[in-house]
């Protein structure tokens, strides 16, 4: 477990009603309805779900980690780099678990793309939170 020496920011959000309820951040910048995907017995309603939110959060955070690593190594990243997150959910003997795949598109970067991704995986907060507990795979394009 990693203990923070200093908290730089705390995001706060509240969920009500579970997987078919709603979510909202304390500052009002995030509000969304939730719906249960068909794969989990739902109706695929108009709302989002925890897996989509985790995929989006991890993808955005991973871009931040890539930018951090590139800055340390003085590598110029194209403005249009893209990370697509996929979060699968399925049963395990004790309940349910998730697995993550990140597809990283660094465009025409003049550096070893795989090395940048590996270094970003070391510093990314989502990677550090999931390491050793969630299967995370990468596709670098």
């Amino acid at each position: 477990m990693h203990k923070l020496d200093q908290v730089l920011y705390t995001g706060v959000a509240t969920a009500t009603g579970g997987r078919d309820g709603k979510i909202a951040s304390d500052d009002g910048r995030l509000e969304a309805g939730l719906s249960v995907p068909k794969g989990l017995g739902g109706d695929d309603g108009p709302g989002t779900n925890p897996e989509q939110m985790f995929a989006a959060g991890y993808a955005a955070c991973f871009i931040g980690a890539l930018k951090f690593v590139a800055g340390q190594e003085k590598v110029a990243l194209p403005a249009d780099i893209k990370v697509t997150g996929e979060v699968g959910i399925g049963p395990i003997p004790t309940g349910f678990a998730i697995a993550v795949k990140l597809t990283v598109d660094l465009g025409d970067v003049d550096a070893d793309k795989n090395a940048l991704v590996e270094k970003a995986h070391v510093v990314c907060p989502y990677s550090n939170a999931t390491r050793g507990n969630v299967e995370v795979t990468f596709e670098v394009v």
Side-chain angles (χ1 to χ4, degrees), residues 32-120:
L34 302 173
S35 63
V36 181
K38 283 186 181 179
L40 295 177
D43 63 0
D44 259 353
T48 187
N49 59 64
E51 292 72 34
Q52 288 175 330
M53 291 186 291
F54 195 93
Y58 201 158
C61 192
F62 202 78
I63 289 174
L66 286 164
K67 289 180 177 181
F68 177 81
V69 168
Q72 285 187 321
E73 301 204 355
K74 298 185 181 7
V75 172
L77 292 179
D80 62 348
I81 64 172
K82 179 171 62 172
V83 174
T84 301
E86 298 176 44
V87 175
I89 183 171
I92 60 172
T94 56
F96 293 88
I98 60 171
V100 175
K101 177 183 177 186
L102 296 179
T103 302
V104 182
D105 183 349
L106 292 172
D108 292 328
V109 69
D110 189 25
D112 182 338
K113 293 178 181 184
N114 289 315
L116 284 174
V117 167
E118 287 174 19
K119 290 174 183 175

Side-chain angles (χ1 to χ4, degrees), residues 113-132:
K113 293 178 181 184
N114 289 315
L116 284 174
V117 167
E118 287 174 19
K119 290 174 183 175
H121 189 44
V122 171
V123 302
C124 177
Y126 274 69
S127 294
N128 285 325
T130 59
R131 187 170 289 109

